[in-house]
DNA sequence: CGAGATTTGTGCGTATGTATT
DNA sequence: AAATACATACGCACAAATCTC
């Protein structure tokens, strides 16, 4: 049960609890969080408050949700290494709606935006690639 | 007014309208979106639906919200250029809750995580820095 | 194959709090 | 002080996806 602390939103406190459970390994990667109904009872809050808490973790890329199934701690796959050509510029941002659809990018996952010296550019999902400096 | 399309959530359709207005320049960087109340009337939806639409744009880093003030199209500041030392590895991810507080990172803004050859690492807000390949 | 149970998604309503002007 | 605008929290109902029997 959550004892509401002044100055912090209820859902933020629930999110903090869940984050703690994830970081400590009590809920390891690939494993589900409790169901929304269970968390409601566990923390003594409404469903919307639970959902907002989970939404925070989703935006952080910490949790992935499948409708009708559950909310799972995201696993970190091995990253493929990129080394863009000299003179390239690399930025990072959240994907556009189109990029998320086309590249199948999950919530809370940014993209690398690699601009080549010739001006061409491409997006790479940051949960699949890393950049190596030559 | 939104004519609900089957297969797409109402709030996603509202978000698409706003995205279009932003990309077309009809609502330029630094300028506010209509207020929630106005959008409710404009699109004929509930306040929660409007808020969910705006939440999408916030998660995309497209819009920044100030309580009691309004929702503004985010401006893109000039980026400072980094060139990590040879052998460094650069990843990108959403900031942790702590990093967001410490570094003053806004919603929908990822961080570069630069791991130096000696193993030390630091986060850089991706709306303030870019990486240049040597 | 279907039926039902479980779980997350969407949409609306209401009330109150907090920040800014 | 008042008005405006966004934030939090609860409630309800139904939809959609998934799983089990």
């Amino acid at each position: 049960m959550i004892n509401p602390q002044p100055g912090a939103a209820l859902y933020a406190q629930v999110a903090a609890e869940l984050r703690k459970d994830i970081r400590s390994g009590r809920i390891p990667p690939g494993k589900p969080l409790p169901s929304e109904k269970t968390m409601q009872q566990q923390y003594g809050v409404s469903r919307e408050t639970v959902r907002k808490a989970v939404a925070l973790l989703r935006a952080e890329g910490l949790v992935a949700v499948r409708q009708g199934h559950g909310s799972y701690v995201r696993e970190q796959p091995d990253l493929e290494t990129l080394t863009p050509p000299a003179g390239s510029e690399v930025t990072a941002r959240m994907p556009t709606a189109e990029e998320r659809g086309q590249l199948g990018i999950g919530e809370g996952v940014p993209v690398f935006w690699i601009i080549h010296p010739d001006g061409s550019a491409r997006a790479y999902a940051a949960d699949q690639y890393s950049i190596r400096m030559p």
Side-chain angles (χ1 to χ4, degrees), chain A:
Chain A
M1 181 74 108
I2 291 282
N3 293 310
Q5 303 295 319
L10 256 182
Y11 71 82
Q13 297 175 53
V14 173
E17 290 289 322
L18 294 170
R19 232 184 259 111
K20 204 172 57 180
D21 287 343
I22 293 170
R23 289 193 186 149
S24 73
R26 219 178 65 68
I27 311 179
K31 291 294 181 181
L33 307 188
S35 76
E36 292 179 352
K37 187 186 268 276
T38 302
M39 288 193 277
Q40 280 183 59
Q41 297 163 350
Q42 219 164 51
Y43 297 118
V45 298
S46 74
R47 186 185 171 203
E48 184 182 308
T49 298
V50 167
R51 284 181 60 77
K52 270 196 170 178
V54 175
L56 276 188
L57 306 181
R58 294 166 72 166
E60 292 170 12
L62 208 58
V63 161
V65 174
R66 277 182 289 168
Q67 181 177 353
H69 207 255
S71 304
Y72 294 81
V73 178
R74 200 191 279 275
E75 309 194 60
Q76 288 297 98
D78 288 334
L79 301 181
E80 191 166 332
T81 302
L82 295 175
T83 301
S88 299
E89 187 185 11
V90 181
T91 59
R93 54 170 172 73
M94 294 314 281
T96 65
E98 294 80 14
E99 287 169 336
R100 288 204 38 204
Q102 289 168 11
L103 302 177
I105 299 176
E107 286 181 302
V109 177
V111 293
F112 287 114
W113 184 243
I114 301 184
I115 309 166
H116 292 249
D118 66 7
S120 64
R122 232 201 86 177
Y124 296 84
D127 66 345
Q128 290 173 17
Y129 295 94
S130 73
I131 309 283
R132 168 76 56 180
M133 302 301 290

Short mmCIF file of all heavy atoms in Angstrom, two decimals, chain A residues 20-50:
data_model
loop_
_atom_site.label_atom_id
_atom_site.label_comp_id
_atom_site.label_asym_id
_atom_site.label_seq_id
_atom_site.Cartn_x
_atom_site.Cartn_y
_atom_site.Cartn_z
N LYS A 20 12.07 0.24 -8.66
CA LYS A 20 12.94 -0.37 -7.65
C LYS A 20 12.92 -1.89 -7.80
O LYS A 20 13.98 -2.54 -7.79
CB LYS A 20 12.44 0.04 -6.25
CG LYS A 20 13.48 -0.03 -5.17
CD LYS A 20 12.95 0.57 -3.86
CE LYS A 20 11.68 -0.11 -3.38
NZ LYS A 20 11.15 0.46 -2.12
N ASP A 21 11.73 -2.44 -7.99
CA ASP A 21 11.61 -3.90 -8.14
C ASP A 21 12.34 -4.38 -9.39
O ASP A 21 12.89 -5.48 -9.41
CB ASP A 21 10.13 -4.29 -8.23
CG ASP A 21 9.43 -4.20 -6.88
OD1 ASP A 21 10.14 -4.14 -5.86
OD2 ASP A 21 8.19 -4.16 -6.85
N ILE A 22 12.32 -3.56 -10.43
CA ILE A 22 12.98 -3.96 -11.67
C ILE A 22 14.49 -3.86 -11.52
O ILE A 22 15.23 -4.78 -11.87
CB ILE A 22 12.49 -3.08 -12.84
CG1 ILE A 22 11.01 -3.38 -13.12
CG2 ILE A 22 13.33 -3.32 -14.08
CD1 ILE A 22 10.35 -2.43 -14.08
N ARG A 23 14.95 -2.76 -10.98
CA ARG A 23 16.41 -2.56 -10.87
C ARG A 23 17.03 -3.55 -9.91
O ARG A 23 18.18 -3.97 -10.09
CB ARG A 23 16.69 -1.13 -10.39
CG ARG A 23 16.38 -0.13 -11.47
CD ARG A 23 16.96 1.22 -11.13
NE ARG A 23 16.53 2.22 -12.11
CZ ARG A 23 16.34 3.50 -11.84
NH1 ARG A 23 16.54 3.94 -10.61
NH2 ARG A 23 15.98 4.34 -12.79
N SER A 24 16.30 -3.91 -8.89
CA SER A 24 16.85 -4.85 -7.91
C SER A 24 16.87 -6.27 -8.46
O SER A 24 17.48 -7.15 -7.85
CB SER A 24 16.00 -4.81 -6.64
OG SER A 24 14.75 -5.45 -6.86
N GLY A 25 16.18 -6.48 -9.58
CA GLY A 25 16.14 -7.82 -10.14
C GLY A 25 15.00 -8.66 -9.58
O GLY A 25 14.84 -9.82 -9.94
N ARG A 26 14.19 -8.05 -8.71
CA ARG A 26 13.05 -8.79 -8.17
C ARG A 26 12.07 -9.14 -9.28
O ARG A 26 11.40 -10.18 -9.24
CB ARG A 26 12.35 -7.95 -7.10
CG ARG A 26 11.88 -8.76 -5.91
CD ARG A 26 11.23 -7.89 -4.85
NE ARG A 26 10.00 -7.28 -5.33
CZ ARG A 26 8.88 -7.97 -5.59
NH1 ARG A 26 8.86 -9.27 -5.43
NH2 ARG A 26 7.80 -7.35 -6.01
N ILE A 27 11.99 -8.25 -10.31
CA ILE A 27 11.26 -8.59 -11.54
C ILE A 27 12.28 -8.51 -12.66
O ILE A 27 12.59 -7.43 -13.15
CB ILE A 27 10.10 -7.61 -11.81
CG1 ILE A 27 9.24 -7.43 -10.56
CG2 ILE A 27 9.25 -8.14 -12.97
CD1 ILE A 27 8.09 -6.45 -10.76
N PRO A 28 12.83 -9.64 -13.08
CA PRO A 28 13.93 -9.63 -14.04
C PRO A 28 13.44 -9.40 -15.47
O PRO A 28 12.24 -9.52 -15.75
CB PRO A 28 14.55 -11.02 -13.87
CG PRO A 28 13.48 -11.86 -13.29
CD PRO A 28 12.53 -10.98 -12.56
N PRO A 29 14.37 -9.08 -16.37
CA PRO A 29 14.03 -8.87 -17.78
C PRO A 29 13.27 -10.06 -18.35
O PRO A 29 13.61 -11.21 -18.06
CB PRO A 29 15.39 -8.72 -18.45
CG PRO A 29 16.28 -8.19 -17.38
CD PRO A 29 15.78 -8.81 -16.10
N GLY A 30 12.22 -9.77 -19.10
CA GLY A 30 11.42 -10.82 -19.71
C GLY A 30 10.25 -11.26 -18.84
O GLY A 30 9.34 -11.93 -19.32
N LYS A 31 10.28 -10.87 -17.57
CA LYS A 31 9.21 -11.27 -16.67
C LYS A 31 8.13 -10.20 -16.58
O LYS A 31 8.40 -9.03 -16.76
CB LYS A 31 9.78 -11.54 -15.27
CG LYS A 31 10.66 -12.77 -15.22
CD LYS A 31 9.86 -14.05 -15.47
CE LYS A 31 10.74 -15.28 -15.40
NZ LYS A 31 9.98 -16.52 -15.68
N PRO A 32 6.89 -10.62 -16.30
CA PRO A 32 5.78 -9.67 -16.26
C PRO A 32 5.67 -8.94 -14.93
O PRO A 32 5.96 -9.51 -13.88
CB PRO A 32 4.56 -10.58 -16.47
CG PRO A 32 4.96 -11.89 -15.88
CD PRO A 32 6.44 -12.02 -16.12
N LEU A 33 5.24 -7.70 -15.00
CA LEU A 33 4.78 -7.00 -13.80
C LEU A 33 3.47 -7.66 -13.36
O LEU A 33 2.86 -8.41 -14.12
CB LEU A 33 4.51 -5.52 -14.12
CG LEU A 33 5.60 -4.69 -14.78
CD1 LEU A 33 5.17 -3.23 -14.80
CD2 LEU A 33 6.91 -4.83 -14.03
N PRO A 34 3.04 -7.39 -12.15
CA PRO A 34 1.71 -7.85 -11.76
C PRO A 34 0.67 -7.24 -12.69
O PRO A 34 0.92 -6.21 -13.32
CB PRO A 34 1.55 -7.30 -10.33
CG PRO A 34 2.94 -7.02 -9.85
CD PRO A 34 3.74 -6.68 -11.06
N SER A 35 -0.50 -7.87 -12.79
CA SER A 35 -1.56 -7.32 -13.63
C SER A 35 -2.05 -6.01 -13.02
O SER A 35 -1.84 -5.72 -11.84
CB SER A 35 -2.72 -8.30 -13.74
OG SER A 35 -3.48 -8.31 -12.55
N GLU A 36 -2.72 -5.22 -13.85
CA GLU A 36 -3.24 -3.94 -13.36
C GLU A 36 -4.15 -4.15 -12.16
O GLU A 36 -4.09 -3.40 -11.18
CB GLU A 36 -4.01 -3.23 -14.48
CG GLU A 36 -3.12 -2.78 -15.62
CD GLU A 36 -3.91 -2.11 -16.73
OE1 GLU A 36 -5.15 -2.14 -16.67
OE2 GLU A 36 -3.29 -1.57 -17.65
N LYS A 37 -4.99 -5.14 -12.25
CA LYS A 37 -5.92 -5.41 -11.14
C LYS A 37 -5.16 -5.72 -9.86
O LYS A 37 -5.48 -5.20 -8.79
CB LYS A 37 -6.83 -6.58 -11.53
CG LYS A 37 -7.94 -6.86 -10.53
CD LYS A 37 -8.71 -8.13 -10.90
CE LYS A 37 -9.91 -7.86 -11.77
NZ LYS A 37 -11.11 -7.47 -11.00
N THR A 38 -4.13 -6.55 -9.98
CA THR A 38 -3.34 -6.89 -8.80
C THR A 38 -2.68 -5.65 -8.21
O THR A 38 -2.67 -5.45 -6.99
CB THR A 38 -2.26 -7.92 -9.18
OG1 THR A 38 -2.90 -9.08 -9.73
CG2 THR A 38 -1.44 -8.32 -7.98
N MET A 39 -2.11 -4.82 -9.09
CA MET A 39 -1.42 -3.63 -8.60
C MET A 39 -2.39 -2.66 -7.93
O MET A 39 -2.06 -2.02 -6.95
CB MET A 39 -0.67 -2.95 -9.74
CG MET A 39 0.55 -3.75 -10.18
SD MET A 39 1.66 -2.85 -11.28
CE MET A 39 0.88 -3.08 -12.86
N GLN A 40 -3.60 -2.57 -8.48
CA GLN A 40 -4.62 -1.74 -7.83
C GLN A 40 -4.79 -2.14 -6.38
O GLN A 40 -4.80 -1.28 -5.48
CB GLN A 40 -5.98 -1.93 -8.53
CG GLN A 40 -6.17 -1.15 -9.80
CD GLN A 40 -7.58 -1.38 -10.33
OE1 GLN A 40 -8.57 -1.11 -9.69
NE2 GLN A 40 -7.66 -1.92 -11.53
N GLN A 41 -4.94 -3.45 -6.17
CA GLN A 41 -5.17 -3.93 -4.81
C GLN A 41 -3.92 -3.78 -3.97
O GLN A 41 -3.96 -3.35 -2.81
CB GLN A 41 -5.62 -5.39 -4.87
CG GLN A 41 -6.94 -5.54 -5.62
CD GLN A 41 -7.22 -6.97 -6.06
OE1 GLN A 41 -6.35 -7.83 -5.98
NE2 GLN A 41 -8.43 -7.22 -6.54
N GLN A 42 -2.77 -4.10 -4.58
CA GLN A 42 -1.51 -4.06 -3.85
C GLN A 42 -1.21 -2.65 -3.33
O GLN A 42 -0.78 -2.48 -2.19
CB GLN A 42 -0.39 -4.48 -4.80
CG GLN A 42 0.68 -5.33 -4.17
CD GLN A 42 1.51 -6.01 -5.25
OE1 GLN A 42 2.01 -5.37 -6.18
NE2 GLN A 42 1.67 -7.31 -5.15
N TYR A 43 -1.44 -1.65 -4.18
CA TYR A 43 -1.07 -0.30 -3.81
C TYR A 43 -2.26 0.53 -3.32
O TYR A 43 -2.08 1.66 -2.86
CB TYR A 43 -0.41 0.41 -5.00
CG TYR A 43 0.88 -0.26 -5.44
CD1 TYR A 43 1.01 -0.79 -6.72
CD2 TYR A 43 1.97 -0.35 -4.58
CE1 TYR A 43 2.18 -1.41 -7.12
CE2 TYR A 43 3.14 -0.97 -4.97
CZ TYR A 43 3.24 -1.50 -6.25
OH TYR A 43 4.40 -2.10 -6.65
N GLY A 44 -3.47 -0.03 -3.45
CA GLY A 44 -4.64 0.70 -2.96
C GLY A 44 -4.94 1.94 -3.76
O GLY A 44 -5.30 2.97 -3.19
N VAL A 45 -4.76 1.86 -5.08
CA VAL A 45 -5.04 3.01 -5.94
C VAL A 45 -5.95 2.59 -7.08
O VAL A 45 -6.22 1.41 -7.27
CB VAL A 45 -3.74 3.61 -6.52
CG1 VAL A 45 -2.84 4.11 -5.40
CG2 VAL A 45 -3.01 2.59 -7.37
N SER A 46 -6.42 3.56 -7.85
CA SER A 46 -7.33 3.27 -8.94
C SER A 46 -6.57 2.70 -10.13
O SER A 46 -5.34 2.77 -10.21
CB SER A 46 -8.06 4.53 -9.38
OG SER A 46 -7.18 5.36 -10.10
N ARG A 47 -7.32 2.16 -11.07
CA ARG A 47 -6.69 1.58 -12.24
C ARG A 47 -5.95 2.65 -13.03
O ARG A 47 -4.86 2.41 -13.55
CB ARG A 47 -7.76 0.92 -13.12
CG ARG A 47 -7.14 0.16 -14.27
CD ARG A 47 -8.18 -0.39 -15.21
NE ARG A 47 -7.52 -0.91 -16.40
CZ ARG A 47 -8.11 -1.07 -17.56
NH1 ARG A 47 -9.39 -0.78 -17.70
NH2 ARG A 47 -7.44 -1.53 -18.59
N GLU A 48 -6.54 3.83 -13.15
CA GLU A 48 -5.88 4.88 -13.94
C GLU A 48 -4.54 5.25 -13.35
O GLU A 48 -3.58 5.52 -14.08
CB GLU A 48 -6.77 6.11 -14.04
CG GLU A 48 -6.14 7.16 -14.95
CD GLU A 48 -6.97 8.43 -15.03
OE1 GLU A 48 -8.18 8.33 -15.31
OE2 GLU A 48 -6.40 9.52 -14.79
N THR A 49 -4.46 5.27 -12.03
CA THR A 49 -3.20 5.60 -11.38
C THR A 49 -2.15 4.54 -11.70
O THR A 49 -1.00 4.86 -12.01
CB THR A 49 -3.40 5.74 -9.87
OG1 THR A 49 -4.31 6.81 -9.63
CG2 THR A 49 -2.10 6.03 -9.16
N VAL A 50 -2.56 3.28 -11.66
CA VAL A 50 -1.65 2.20 -12.03
C VAL A 50 -1.20 2.38 -13.47
O VAL A 50 -0.01 2.29 -13.79
CB VAL A 50 -2.34 0.83 -11.85
CG1 VAL A 50 -1.53 -0.26 -12.53
CG2 VAL A 50 -2.54 0.52 -10.38
#
